[in-house]
Amino acid sequence: MKKRQFSLCTRLVGGFLATSAVFAAAAGLFFWGAMHVAQRRSALASAEDAAPVIVIDAGHGGEDGGASGADGTLEKNLNLSVAEILAQLLEAAGYDVRMTRTDDRMLYDRYGDLTDYTGHRKTYDLRNRLRFAGEADAALFVSIHMNKFPQEKYSGLQVYYAAAEGSRAVADAVQNTVKTYLQPDNDRQTKQAGSAIYLLNRIDIPAVMIECGFLSNDAELQRLKDAEYRRALALCITCAIAECMG
């Protein structure tokens, strides 16, 4: 695989939060740089050098709203918004991106395995996300979520990783990039997923779950509700993935 040059991305991301105008300029320049690299890659690509497939999984959906903020903000909607922006950025960077969902629904009936899903919706929803990643022959699986805790004081992005080789490197890169450029006070560490995290515990390819922030922390909730902040977050994740995958 031809190595992408993402020094442009890492140079720009350091200053994009100074003002809205700076962020807009940095994002625009990143798109220009990413498109330039993608065009060069397309010209050089061969059948043996296909773009890596990245599956972006927007957690929850439909009748499964996930966590919620004190004001009623639902996790499922924030997940989808971040996932959509992330997909656009990664596509601009030349990756083959597939999304498990692009609208507000659960995925339990994607493959029509049962005629009645009563009592089985959550299990089949998760099972089908896993199946989707396998059928896509993905090189990386990225699941987007939001966190919540009974005590409001907790905040900050945290990344969990699967046992598959390469997962931790991506998780560490995302965690460190977000700390460096977006959440300087975030001292959270990446963690290997335990048995409670269905997808990461069962997947056999590099995979991470990104808990983007705590809906139970009002200050962080307000940031996550801001479209510009979500774009900044997605740009950090994009840069981290690109530097790990090449």
Side-chain angles (χ1 to χ4, degrees), residues 31-216:
F31 269 112
W32 176 86
M35 288 300 295
H36 178 69
V37 172
Q39 289 167 1
R40 284 176 56 82
R41 188 186 190 288
S42 178
L44 296 171
S46 65
E48 294 75 32
D49 189 31
V53 175
I54 299 178
V55 169
I56 306 298
D57 174 50
H60 304 285
E63 54 267 57
D64 177 12
S68 61
D71 63 357
T73 298
L74 294 177
E75 176 187 358
K76 65 175 183 176
N77 298 326
L78 295 177
N79 291 345
L80 183 58
S81 176
V82 172
E84 288 173 335
I85 301 166
L86 180 59
Q88 292 167 5
L89 285 164
L90 288 169
E91 286 174 348
Y95 294 100
D96 183 351
V97 179
R98 320 282 177 86
M99 295 184 66
T100 57
R101 70 178 180 96
T102 57
D103 54 15
D104 183 20
R105 65 189 179 103
M106 292 184 75
L107 306 177
Y108 55 84
D109 59 351
R110 176 189 288 274
Y111 299 101
D113 295 316
L114 303 177
T115 55
D116 182 3
Y117 289 91
T118 303
H120 302 286
R121 291 186 178 186
K122 188 61 177 178
T123 298
Y124 274 85
D125 173 75
L126 294 171
R127 185 180 297 178
N128 289 343
R129 293 170 196 264
L130 191 63
R131 179 175 173 180
F132 182 91
E135 292 182 350
D137 194 23
L140 178 66
F141 179 89
V142 181
S143 191
I144 302 296
H145 284 262
M146 304 290 154
N147 221 331
K148 186 174 182 178
F149 199 75
Q151 297 179 35
E152 184 180 350
K153 66 180 181 179
Y154 294 105
S155 64
L157 173 144
Q158 185 162 29
V159 189
Y160 292 83
Y161 57 90
E165 184 177 359
S167 300
R168 182 169 186 174
V170 175
D172 287 346
V174 171
Q175 191 79 49
N176 293 336
T177 302
V178 169
K179 175 179 174 61
T180 300
Y181 301 116
L182 193 60
Q183 298 177 6
D185 296 327
N186 185 346
D187 294 323
R188 294 184 176 278
Q189 303 296 312
T190 59
K191 293 183 179 180
Q192 183 167 346
S195 59
I197 301 182
Y198 182 100
L199 290 172
L200 298 192
N201 191 47
R202 290 165 174 77
I203 202 163
D204 59 3
I205 62 171
V208 296
M209 176 179 289
I210 304 172
E211 297 277 5
C212 296
F214 284 76
L215 302 187
S216 47

